[in-house]
């Protein structure tokens, strides 16, 4: 039985290193909602050496964004595979859409599973220092997308994923020079999307905080406030 009373269809937006992946992971666990992350999908393509992976790798390492139509195709096929068709389903999107054009493509016929539309867009706001600190201390488990932080959330065995024991790696784009380009891309391409959601009713909700714990506590409260939790019915 779903934990939330009403379906939550959530998009997480925020600059690189703001903790989208971490918050997504915690929401998935806490509320038992399925989710996908565009960055994780691309990193799996790269690991598997697919054609998309080859193209993605060169673009990601430069801190640039993939072309909107290609990205939409990649995410669309994942959405279809997961059959998120019912308007009563909850889901989470991390990192897609992240441009205005992608948002329009998501709303278009092409992406039927997502027709129900987002009802909460979360903007994560953290200081540049915190972002730099995060990317310097981040390790990822590519097959699952699990994220570790050497300071706040280290793996139980150094360099190994807690669940599978498989090796963790650093992201090649988590280097300070590439980070600056990613931040520039964010300001140019994603901030306008945040503005767009700001104008479309009550969907946008911004949250600021320096640590994932501080942000998650607020996010959890907001999700419950908006969608209701089972056991709350009177
Ligand atoms: P973080 O994971 O630290 O929050 P991020 O948002 O920059 O930061 P990912 O979401 O993992 O990182 O994305 C990594 C890279 O994958 C991006 O820099 C971009 O090249 C590519 N990418 C991911 N999602 C998209 C998208 N929706 N459109 C275009 N490119 C994308
Ligand atoms: Mg991410």
């Amino acid at each position: 039985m779903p934990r939330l009373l009403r379906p939550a269809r959530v998009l997480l937006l925020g600059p690189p290193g703001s903790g989208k992946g971490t918050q997504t992971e915690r929401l998935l666990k806490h509320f038992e909602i399925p989710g996908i992350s565009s960055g994780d999908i691309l990193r799996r393509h790269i690991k598997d050496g697919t054609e998309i992976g080859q193209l993605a790798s060169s673009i990601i390492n430069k801190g640039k964004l993939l072309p909107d139509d290609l990205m939409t195709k990649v995410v669309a096929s994942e959405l279809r595979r997961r059959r998120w068709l019912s308007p009563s389903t909850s889901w989470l999107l991390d990192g897609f859409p992240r441009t205005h054009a992608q948002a329009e493509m998501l709303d278009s016929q092409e992406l039927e599973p997502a027709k129900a539309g987002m009802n909460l867009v979360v903007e994560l706001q953290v200081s540049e220092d915190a972002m730099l600190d995060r990317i310097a201390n981040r390790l990822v488990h590519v097959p699952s997308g699990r994220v570790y932080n050497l300071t706040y959330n280290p793996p139980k065995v150094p360099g190994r994923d807690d669940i599978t024991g498989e090796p963790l790696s650093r992201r090649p784009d988590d280097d300070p020079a590439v980070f600056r380009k990613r931040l520039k891309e964010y300001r140019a391409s994603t901030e306008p999307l945040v503005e767009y959601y700001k104008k479309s009713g009550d969907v946008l909700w911004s949250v600021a905080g320096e640590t994932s714990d501080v942000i998650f506590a607020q996010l959890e409260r907001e999700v419950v406030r908006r969608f209701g939790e089972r056991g709350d019915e009177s």
Side-chain angles (χ1 to χ4, degrees):
M1 188 189 272
R3 210 164 257 193
L4 293 170
L5 294 175
R6 294 174 288 282
R9 293 180 294 271
V10 186
L11 167 64
L12 278 117
L13 293 175
S18 59
K20 298 182 290 288
T22 304
Q23 298 301 329
T24 299
E25 213 177 305
R26 294 179 74 160
L27 285 171
L28 301 184
K29 250 189 228 147
H30 191 86
F31 294 109
E32 294 163 13
I33 326 181
I36 61 171
S37 152
S38 54
D40 289 351
I41 294 173
L42 295 175
R43 279 184 286 279
R44 283 197 290 270
H45 272 284
I46 293 170
K47 183 171 175 284
D48 296 342
T50 68
E51 214 172 295
I52 289 166
Q54 282 167 27
L55 176 71
S57 152
S58 68
I59 295 175
I60 290 176
N61 294 348
K62 288 189 200 112
K64 301 226 170 262
L65 294 179
L66 270 85
D68 290 326
D69 53 345
L70 177 68
M71 197 65 229
T72 303
K73 249 187 231 155
V74 172
V75 175
S77 78
E78 187 71 20
L79 290 171
R80 284 198 194 94
R81 197 175 67 74
R82 297 201 175 217
R83 296 186 202 284
W84 288 350
L85 283 160
S86 152
S88 62
T89 333
S90 291
W91 40 253
L92 277 170
L93 299 177
D94 161 15
F96 181 92
R98 73 165 71 182
T99 67
H100 201 270
Q102 289 176 11
E104 276 171 357
M105 288 179 193
L106 182 68
D107 288 341
S108 77
Q109 302 298 327
E110 228 187 307
L111 262 177
E112 252 186 72
K115 248 191 185 148
M118 260 104 49
N119 50 17
L120 174 60
V121 177
V122 176
E123 182 204 11
L124 301 178
Q125 299 175 331
V126 306
S127 71
E128 219 170 297
D129 281 350
M131 294 181 226
L132 274 167
D133 188 71
R134 291 249 178 92
I135 62 157
N137 288 300
R138 169 155 66 185
L139 288 174
V140 292
H141 178 242
V142 173
S144 67
R146 275 186 287 278
V147 191
Y148 296 85
N149 181 287
L150 291 170
T151 315
Y152 297 109
N153 170 36
K156 290 186 185 119
V157 176
R160 299 272 160 184
D161 177 48
D162 286 355
I163 310 230
T164 63
E166 288 166 354
L168 302 175
S169 53
R170 292 214 54 206
R171 280 171 48 173
D173 56 341
D174 274 352
D175 116 319
V178 181
F179 168 81
R180 274 189 285 280
K181 289 191 194 131
R182 287 159 66 199
L183 192 56
K184 222 167 125 190
E185 273 288 351
Y186 182 81
R187 296 200 168 127
S189 309
T190 311
E191 273 181 3
L193 180 63
V194 172
E195 287 307 309
Y196 164 78
Y197 286 127
K198 223 171 249 176
K199 287 185 209 120
S200 29
D202 188 31
V203 291
L204 186 84
W205 180 74
S206 300
V207 56
E210 291 302 284
T211 71
S212 300
D213 285 349
V214 168
I215 290 188
F216 187 71
Q218 298 177 70
L219 182 53
E220 184 198 337
R221 213 176 313 127
E222 183 65 15
V223 168
V224 171
R225 188 183 77 77
R226 287 184 184 237
F227 305 106
E229 207 167 11
R230 243 169 246 288
D232 286 352
E233 308 105 311
S234 39

